[in-house]
Amino acid sequence: MTIDLVLLAIFLLLSGFFSSTETAFTSLSLIQAHRLVDEYGKRGERVQKLSHSPDILLTTLLIGNNLVNIGATTLATKLTISMFGSYALGYMTGALTLFILIFGEVTPKQIAMAKNMTICLYTAPVVRVLSWVFRPFIWIITLISSSITRIFVSSTQKTLTLENLLLMVSMGENMGIVETYENQMVKNVFRINDTPIQGIVTHRTDVYSLNSEIYLSEAINDMLKSGFSRIPVYKENPENIVGIVLVKELVKLDRESLESYRLRDVMLEPLFIPHSKKVNEVFTLFKQKGINIAIVLDEYGGLAGIVTREDVIEEIFGELYDENEIKETDKIISEEKNSWIIAGDTSFYAIHDKLDIELEHSRRILTIGGYLIEKIGHIPEEGEVLDFLEGRYEILKVRNNRIQSVRFRIIPVK
């Protein structure tokens, strides 16, 4: 009887072992698996290999767990009959179920969730050996199970997607591990891979440029007052940019040079890029060529605007200002409950992050202003009210046929 009691205790311990191992492996994230490989080498690789074969892993653990639970039940039944008779089997079943739940299931799994990396590291060799011992049974069970599963569920693979990664960062913010600005920066870094450069250009109507035929002495004061360090230079009309002038180079010249040179004599060759290029591609181009400004052309080769290295950096870090710039207000300003003032050039990403709404739009539209014009098919007038499924828009300011600002309200559903 003593041997039976010892075996029963061993079976309960083994039940806890299999339960904790199962929970440890199923709760192991891809990041944790990579950490184990980096920190423990081959031992970590063994864990990673098992986690990449969930069918073999789970079948091995479930076979082991069921065998020890059946063994515990058999021993407990034998002991109960020999000690108290068959009438006590009902009490034994209840007591054994309670013991298995506490010591074989709940407690081991709670421990495994807190120490999953450690448990995986030490149990992986045992699981690997058992997977070879149970190989014939695993093959048969997996074959039958997979055949049934395919009828109801399509084949899926556990992968780390961009959406999951951003969700993890957002969860880190909610838990206080990641700061709000860090969460936003991570989102911005991944977004620049999909954002076309036309979404951040300074529009051609807002570009400060000068005629290439102007003498330096005539242009220098205006250039200094503009506050820009790099000035586009055009020939004949502002749409035809032919060069870039660096203000820092002009201030080095003597008065005689300023009087005799025109802008075309000191300008540099501009970098032209198509408006379809992505922000990350332009940033790489800036680094490779060691320049800070590019001329953006539309699909017909006409001027779309300009973009600078600072514009690209601001896509990641937010707006940057120097001592000569006037700080702009936020593009989305909360007025009251469910009401906001939104700048016309606000991106859909910013609207999603701030208001948590998705706006269906064509790929060529990048701002809320363009979205509204696309929806109604004309340039709205100031004061015009537009009602859509997501809410009500009131046009506040229109300039040069472009929406400058709108008031957006979410209309409660009655």
Side-chain angles (χ1 to χ4, degrees):
M1 187 174 67
T2 303
I3 296 176
D4 290 338
L5 288 174
V6 172
L7 285 175
L8 182 60
I10 292 173
F11 282 141
L12 288 174
L13 289 174
L14 288 175
S15 178
F17 167 81
F18 287 115
S19 296
S20 62
T21 303
E22 178 188 351
T23 300
F25 272 96
T26 53
S27 65
L28 192 71
S29 67
L30 292 174
I31 295 174
Q32 288 177 318
H34 282 291
R35 275 186 58 191
L36 288 175
V37 174
D38 292 338
E39 295 178 12
Y40 297 96
K42 290 184 178 180
R43 294 175 65 195
E45 290 176 2
R46 191 180 296 123
V47 173
Q48 189 180 55
K49 187 175 180 180
L50 282 172
S51 64
H52 287 171
S53 304
D55 291 342
I56 295 176
L57 172 68
L58 292 177
T59 306
T60 300
L61 295 174
L62 290 174
I63 289 174
N65 203 14
N66 279 280
L67 286 176
V68 297
N69 286 341
I70 292 172
T73 302
T74 303
L75 274 176
T77 301
K78 177 185 175 183
L79 285 170
T80 301
I81 293 175
S82 64
M83 295 174 62
F84 306 106
S86 59
Y87 71 90
L89 286 177
Y91 298 105
M92 179 277 298
T93 301
L96 183 62
T97 300
L98 182 63
F99 269 83
I100 289 178
L101 282 174
I102 295 175
F103 299 106
E105 295 290 338
V106 179
T107 303
K109 289 185 176 182
Q110 288 180 340
I111 296 173
M113 291 176 66
K115 298 287 185 180
N116 61 346
M117 292 176 65
T118 303
I119 291 176
C120 287
L121 202 62
Y122 286 100
T123 59
V126 180
V127 175
R128 188 181 181 187
V129 171
L130 290 175
S131 68
W132 285 103
V133 174
F134 298 148
R135 181 66 64 174
F137 304 101
I138 292 173
W139 185 84
I140 295 172
I141 293 172
T142 302
L143 179 62
I144 297 173
S145 177
S146 299
S147 301
I148 298 173
T149 302
R150 277 195 291 269
I151 299 174
F152 301 99
V153 182
S154 59
S155 178
T156 58
Q157 187 176 4
K158 184 179 179 181
T159 57
L160 180 63
T161 63
L162 177 58
E163 290 76 13
N164 289 339
L165 179 59
L166 294 179
L167 179 61
M168 290 170 64
V169 177
S170 297
M171 290 174 60
E173 179 188 351
N174 295 333
M175 296 170 64
I177 301 173
V178 177
E179 298 292 340
T180 301
Y181 74 91
E182 292 173 328
N183 180 20
Q184 189 61 52
M185 283 170 54
V186 170
K187 289 181 179 178
N188 292 342
V189 166
F190 286 105
R191 284 172 177 170
I192 65 173
N193 295 331
D194 300 317
T195 303
I197 201 66
Q198 68 185 69
I200 66 171
V201 300
T202 299
H203 192 264
R204 58 187 178 82
T205 57
D206 298 323
V207 172
Y208 174 78
S209 59
L210 294 172
N211 194 315
S212 62
E213 297 302 318
I214 297 178
Y215 283 99
L216 300 186
S217 57
E218 299 174 8
I220 187 68
N221 288 332
D222 284 341
M223 295 171 71
L224 293 174
K225 288 179 182 178
S226 72
F228 300 118
S229 59
R230 296 166 180 82
I231 312 295
V233 175
Y234 65 85
K235 182 178 181 180
E236 297 180 356
N237 71 79
E239 300 286 314
N240 183 29
I241 302 297
V242 293
I244 301 292
V245 171
L246 304 182
V247 175
K248 68 176 182 179
E249 298 298 327
L250 300 189
V251 297
K252 298 177 183 178
L253 300 177
D254 54 31
R255 180 173 294 275
E256 182 179 346
S257 299
L258 292 176
E259 295 288 346
S260 59
Y261 290 160
R262 300 175 189 268
L263 290 178
R264 58 180 165 80
D265 299 321
V266 295
M267 69 183 185
L268 302 176
E269 185 178 351
L271 171 66
F272 294 101
I273 59 174
H275 72 291
S276 58
K277 264 193 177 297
K278 298 295 187 290
V279 173
N280 66 309
E281 295 174 334
V282 176
F283 185 59
T284 302
L285 201 59
F286 281 158
K287 290 196 300 180
Q288 290 175 344
K289 294 186 176 294
I291 58 178
N292 293 279
I293 188 172
I295 310 302
V296 183
L297 303 178
D298 61 25
E299 57 188 316
Y300 302 105
L303 178 65
I306 65 171
V307 66
T308 65
R309 187 193 292 255
E310 181 178 319
D311 294 328
V312 176
I313 293 174
E314 285 178 342
E315 279 298 291
I316 300 175
F317 295 99
E319 294 294 326
L320 303 173
Y321 301 96
D322 59 31
E323 61 275 9
N324 297 319
E325 289 184 288
I326 299 175
K327 187 174 182 179
E328 299 178 358
T329 57
D330 292 336
K331 290 185 179 294
I332 302 178
I333 302 174
S334 179
E335 283 191 309
E336 55 190 50
K337 185 177 180 181
N338 293 333
S339 179
W340 299 268
I341 300 293
I342 306 176
D345 61 349
T346 303
S347 69
F348 294 108
Y349 286 137
I351 292 174
H352 178 266
D353 289 343
K354 190 74 176 283
L355 309 185
D356 194 26
I357 59 175
E358 292 281 359
L359 302 176
E360 294 186 5
H361 58 92
S362 62
R363 294 181 63 87
R364 61 187 181 86
I365 301 298
L366 302 171
T367 65
I368 185 66
Y371 166 78
L372 295 176
I373 293 175
E374 180 190 43
K375 280 284 188 179
I376 62 178
H378 66 269
I379 306 299
E381 297 180 357
E382 294 183 0
E384 188 171 344
V385 176
L386 310 171
D387 287 328
F388 299 124
L389 290 176
E390 66 271 11
R392 174 171 295 169
Y393 297 90
E394 179 186 353
I395 308 301
L396 300 180
K397 187 176 180 181
V398 178
R399 178 187 172 193
N400 295 332
N401 293 327
R402 293 163 60 196
I403 297 175
Q404 297 291 307
S405 62
V406 300
R407 175 179 286 111
F408 172 68
R409 288 191 180 94
I410 296 177
I411 307 300
V413 179
K414 296 181 181 180

PDB file of all heavy atoms in Angstrom, residues 203-216:
ATOM      1  N   HIS A 203       3.221  72.449 -50.454  1.00  0.00           N
ATOM      2  CA  HIS A 203       2.541  72.577 -51.747  1.00  0.00           C
ATOM      3  C   HIS A 203       3.142  73.712 -52.568  1.00  0.00           C
ATOM      4  O   HIS A 203       3.611  74.726 -52.022  1.00  0.00           O
ATOM      5  CB  HIS A 203       1.050  72.813 -51.518  1.00  0.00           C
ATOM      6  CG  HIS A 203       0.218  72.678 -52.751  1.00  0.00           C
ATOM      7  ND1 HIS A 203      -0.149  73.758 -53.527  1.00  0.00           N
ATOM      8  CD2 HIS A 203      -0.304  71.571 -53.356  1.00  0.00           C
ATOM      9  CE1 HIS A 203      -0.868  73.345 -54.545  1.00  0.00           C
ATOM     10  NE2 HIS A 203      -0.987  72.013 -54.467  1.00  0.00           N
ATOM     11  N   ARG A 204       3.106  73.561 -53.874  1.00  0.00           N
ATOM     12  CA  ARG A 204       3.742  74.526 -54.775  1.00  0.00           C
ATOM     13  C   ARG A 204       3.228  75.944 -54.562  1.00  0.00           C
ATOM     14  O   ARG A 204       3.961  76.914 -54.759  1.00  0.00           O
ATOM     15  CB  ARG A 204       3.538  74.104 -56.226  1.00  0.00           C
ATOM     16  CG  ARG A 204       2.093  73.950 -56.656  1.00  0.00           C
ATOM     17  CD  ARG A 204       1.983  73.371 -58.057  1.00  0.00           C
ATOM     18  NE  ARG A 204       0.596  73.179 -58.460  1.00  0.00           N
ATOM     19  CZ  ARG A 204      -0.184  74.130 -58.949  1.00  0.00           C
ATOM     20  NH1 ARG A 204       0.297  75.357 -59.099  1.00  0.00           N
ATOM     21  NH2 ARG A 204      -1.434  73.877 -59.286  1.00  0.00           N
ATOM     22  N   THR A 205       1.954  76.097 -54.151  1.00  0.00           N
ATOM     23  CA  THR A 205       1.407  77.433 -53.920  1.00  0.00           C
ATOM     24  C   THR A 205       1.981  78.078 -52.670  1.00  0.00           C
ATOM     25  O   THR A 205       1.842  79.293 -52.471  1.00  0.00           O
ATOM     26  CB  THR A 205      -0.122  77.368 -53.803  1.00  0.00           C
ATOM     27  OG1 THR A 205      -0.480  76.462 -52.752  1.00  0.00           O
ATOM     28  CG2 THR A 205      -0.745  76.899 -55.107  1.00  0.00           C
ATOM     29  N   ASP A 206       2.605  77.289 -51.818  1.00  0.00           N
ATOM     30  CA  ASP A 206       3.198  77.814 -50.579  1.00  0.00           C
ATOM     31  C   ASP A 206       4.726  77.866 -50.631  1.00  0.00           C
ATOM     32  O   ASP A 206       5.374  78.205 -49.639  1.00  0.00           O
ATOM     33  CB  ASP A 206       2.771  76.945 -49.384  1.00  0.00           C
ATOM     34  CG  ASP A 206       1.269  76.963 -49.170  1.00  0.00           C
ATOM     35  OD1 ASP A 206       0.662  78.037 -49.379  1.00  0.00           O
ATOM     36  OD2 ASP A 206       0.703  75.918 -48.801  1.00  0.00           O
ATOM     37  N   VAL A 207       5.309  77.492 -51.770  1.00  0.00           N
ATOM     38  CA  VAL A 207       6.768  77.452 -51.898  1.00  0.00           C
ATOM     39  C   VAL A 207       7.326  78.868 -52.094  1.00  0.00           C
ATOM     40  O   VAL A 207       6.870  79.611 -52.970  1.00  0.00           O
ATOM     41  CB  VAL A 207       7.195  76.550 -53.078  1.00  0.00           C
ATOM     42  CG1 VAL A 207       8.699  76.674 -53.321  1.00  0.00           C
ATOM     43  CG2 VAL A 207       6.815  75.107 -52.804  1.00  0.00           C
ATOM     44  N   TYR A 208       8.304  79.231 -51.282  1.00  0.00           N
ATOM     45  CA  TYR A 208       8.998  80.507 -51.433  1.00  0.00           C
ATOM     46  C   TYR A 208      10.158  80.286 -52.403  1.00  0.00           C
ATOM     47  O   TYR A 208      11.046  79.473 -52.141  1.00  0.00           O
ATOM     48  CB  TYR A 208       9.528  80.988 -50.082  1.00  0.00           C
ATOM     49  CG  TYR A 208      10.387  82.226 -50.165  1.00  0.00           C
ATOM     50  CD1 TYR A 208       9.824  83.486 -50.324  1.00  0.00           C
ATOM     51  CD2 TYR A 208      11.771  82.131 -50.096  1.00  0.00           C
ATOM     52  CE1 TYR A 208      10.617  84.628 -50.398  1.00  0.00           C
ATOM     53  CE2 TYR A 208      12.582  83.262 -50.178  1.00  0.00           C
ATOM     54  CZ  TYR A 208      11.988  84.503 -50.332  1.00  0.00           C
ATOM     55  OH  TYR A 208      12.779  85.624 -50.415  1.00  0.00           O
ATOM     56  N   SER A 209      10.129  80.994 -53.541  1.00  0.00           N
ATOM     57  CA  SER A 209      11.173  80.838 -54.544  1.00  0.00           C
ATOM     58  C   SER A 209      11.498  82.194 -55.152  1.00  0.00           C
ATOM     59  O   SER A 209      10.717  83.154 -55.037  1.00  0.00           O
ATOM     60  CB  SER A 209      10.748  79.845 -55.630  1.00  0.00           C
ATOM     61  OG  SER A 209       9.556  80.300 -56.268  1.00  0.00           O
ATOM     62  N   LEU A 210      12.635  82.276 -55.858  1.00  0.00           N
ATOM     63  CA  LEU A 210      13.096  83.532 -56.456  1.00  0.00           C
ATOM     64  C   LEU A 210      13.501  83.308 -57.904  1.00  0.00           C
ATOM     65  O   LEU A 210      13.898  82.198 -58.291  1.00  0.00           O
ATOM     66  CB  LEU A 210      14.284  84.094 -55.665  1.00  0.00           C
ATOM     67  CG  LEU A 210      13.984  84.538 -54.226  1.00  0.00           C
ATOM     68  CD1 LEU A 210      15.284  84.875 -53.503  1.00  0.00           C
ATOM     69  CD2 LEU A 210      13.028  85.710 -54.198  1.00  0.00           C
ATOM     70  N   ASN A 211      13.442  84.399 -58.680  1.00  0.00           N
ATOM     71  CA  ASN A 211      13.826  84.364 -60.094  1.00  0.00           C
ATOM     72  C   ASN A 211      15.334  84.223 -60.217  1.00  0.00           C
ATOM     73  O   ASN A 211      16.097  84.921 -59.543  1.00  0.00           O
ATOM     74  CB  ASN A 211      13.350  85.629 -60.794  1.00  0.00           C
ATOM     75  CG  ASN A 211      13.408  85.502 -62.301  1.00  0.00           C
ATOM     76  OD1 ASN A 211      14.389  85.019 -62.865  1.00  0.00           O
ATOM     77  ND2 ASN A 211      12.352  85.941 -62.964  1.00  0.00           N
ATOM     78  N   SER A 212      15.771  83.338 -61.097  1.00  0.00           N
ATOM     79  CA  SER A 212      17.204  83.085 -61.256  1.00  0.00           C
ATOM     80  C   SER A 212      17.967  84.290 -61.811  1.00  0.00           C
ATOM     81  O   SER A 212      19.187  84.354 -61.705  1.00  0.00           O
ATOM     82  CB  SER A 212      17.423  81.882 -62.177  1.00  0.00           C
ATOM     83  OG  SER A 212      16.895  82.145 -63.480  1.00  0.00           O
ATOM     84  N   GLU A 213      17.258  85.266 -62.418  1.00  0.00           N
ATOM     85  CA  GLU A 213      17.918  86.412 -63.041  1.00  0.00           C
ATOM     86  C   GLU A 213      18.155  87.564 -62.069  1.00  0.00           C
ATOM     87  O   GLU A 213      18.783  88.562 -62.421  1.00  0.00           O
ATOM     88  CB  GLU A 213      17.076  86.902 -64.231  1.00  0.00           C
ATOM     89  CG  GLU A 213      16.924  85.888 -65.353  1.00  0.00           C
ATOM     90  CD  GLU A 213      18.263  85.447 -65.909  1.00  0.00           C
ATOM     91  OE1 GLU A 213      19.146  86.303 -66.098  1.00  0.00           O
ATOM     92  OE2 GLU A 213      18.439  84.236 -66.142  1.00  0.00           O
ATOM     93  N   ILE A 214      17.666  87.459 -60.851  1.00  0.00           N
ATOM     94  CA  ILE A 214      17.841  88.526 -59.865  1.00  0.00           C
ATOM     95  C   ILE A 214      19.290  88.553 -59.384  1.00  0.00           C
ATOM     96  O   ILE A 214      19.906  87.516 -59.136  1.00  0.00           O
ATOM     97  CB  ILE A 214      16.895  88.318 -58.661  1.00  0.00           C
ATOM     98  CG1 ILE A 214      15.443  88.397 -59.111  1.00  0.00           C
ATOM     99  CG2 ILE A 214      17.156  89.339 -57.559  1.00  0.00           C
ATOM    100  CD1 ILE A 214      14.446  88.159 -58.003  1.00  0.00           C
ATOM    101  N   TYR A 215      19.828  89.763 -59.204  1.00  0.00           N
ATOM    102  CA  TYR A 215      21.173  89.908 -58.650  1.00  0.00           C
ATOM    103  C   TYR A 215      21.148  89.580 -57.157  1.00  0.00           C
ATOM    104  O   TYR A 215      20.143  89.781 -56.467  1.00  0.00           O
ATOM    105  CB  TYR A 215      21.684  91.336 -58.857  1.00  0.00           C
ATOM    106  CG  TYR A 215      22.142  91.610 -60.264  1.00  0.00           C
ATOM    107  CD1 TYR A 215      21.314  92.269 -61.177  1.00  0.00           C
ATOM    108  CD2 TYR A 215      23.406  91.202 -60.688  1.00  0.00           C
ATOM    109  CE1 TYR A 215      21.720  92.515 -62.478  1.00  0.00           C
ATOM    110  CE2 TYR A 215      23.828  91.441 -61.996  1.00  0.00           C
ATOM    111  CZ  TYR A 215      22.982  92.092 -62.884  1.00  0.00           C
ATOM    112  OH  TYR A 215      23.397  92.321 -64.171  1.00  0.00           O
ATOM    113  N   LEU A 216      22.263  89.066 -56.675  1.00  0.00           N
ATOM    114  CA  LEU A 216      22.353  88.664 -55.263  1.00  0.00           C
ATOM    115  C   LEU A 216      22.078  89.830 -54.335  1.00  0.00           C
ATOM    116  O   LEU A 216      21.451  89.669 -53.281  1.00  0.00           O
ATOM    117  CB  LEU A 216      23.735  88.081 -54.973  1.00  0.00           C
ATOM    118  CG  LEU A 216      24.148  86.845 -55.784  1.00  0.00           C
ATOM    119  CD1 LEU A 216      25.480  86.309 -55.275  1.00  0.00           C
ATOM    120  CD2 LEU A 216      23.086  85.760 -55.721  1.00  0.00           C
TER     121      LEU A 216
END
